[in-house]
Amino acid sequence: MVVSLLKLPFKLLALPVVLVVTIAKWIGVFLTSFAGVLFYIFSGLCFVLAVLSYLMGISTGAEAIRMLAVGFVVFVLPFIAGWVIGVVDALSDSLWDFIKS
């Protein structure tokens, strides 16, 4: 009984935090999805441009590898953002569990 009374102010303080974290998660999911499409298109263009420019002799092997590396980094960025959103989602779930307890 005493423990639940001691937790009550913290639970009330956690409610606005849960609201802010949930809204941040939704915004992050939207931005990651939208940016992911653009980044996938850009990384595909980097890949095609690197391969074709190397095959046509416009660029050297080192330049083509640099273009491939840029395309790979751009391709991986949405996955890193998705991982961050997963961490924010886990934080939101933890706060909800704390409030429900």
Side-chain angles (χ1 to χ4, degrees):
M1 181 73 175
V2 175
V3 174
S4 63
L5 287 175
L6 291 174
K7 283 186 178 180
L8 186 62
F10 295 113
K11 289 182 179 183
L12 292 175
L13 287 174
L15 278 173
V17 174
V18 168
L19 180 66
V20 169
V21 169
T22 303
I23 290 172
K25 180 182 75 170
W26 290 342
I27 291 171
V29 167
F30 172 74
L31 291 177
T32 301
S33 300
F34 182 70
V37 170
L38 297 177
F39 282 11
Y40 294 150
I41 291 170
F42 182 70
S43 65
L45 287 174
C46 283
F47 174 76
V48 169
L49 185 65
V51 170
L52 290 179
S53 66
Y54 179 70
L55 291 176
M56 292 181 184
I58 297 171
S59 68
T60 63
E63 291 171 345
I65 289 175
R66 273 189 242 132
M67 284 189 278
L68 288 173
V70 168
F72 179 74
V73 169
V74 170
F75 178 77
V76 170
L77 285 176
F79 292 103
I80 295 170
W83 176 80
V84 171
I85 290 172
V87 170
V88 171
D89 189 31
L91 175 67
S92 175
D93 290 343
S94 315
L95 287 171
W96 271 116
D97 291 341
F98 172 70
I99 291 172
K100 290 179 187 177
S101 67

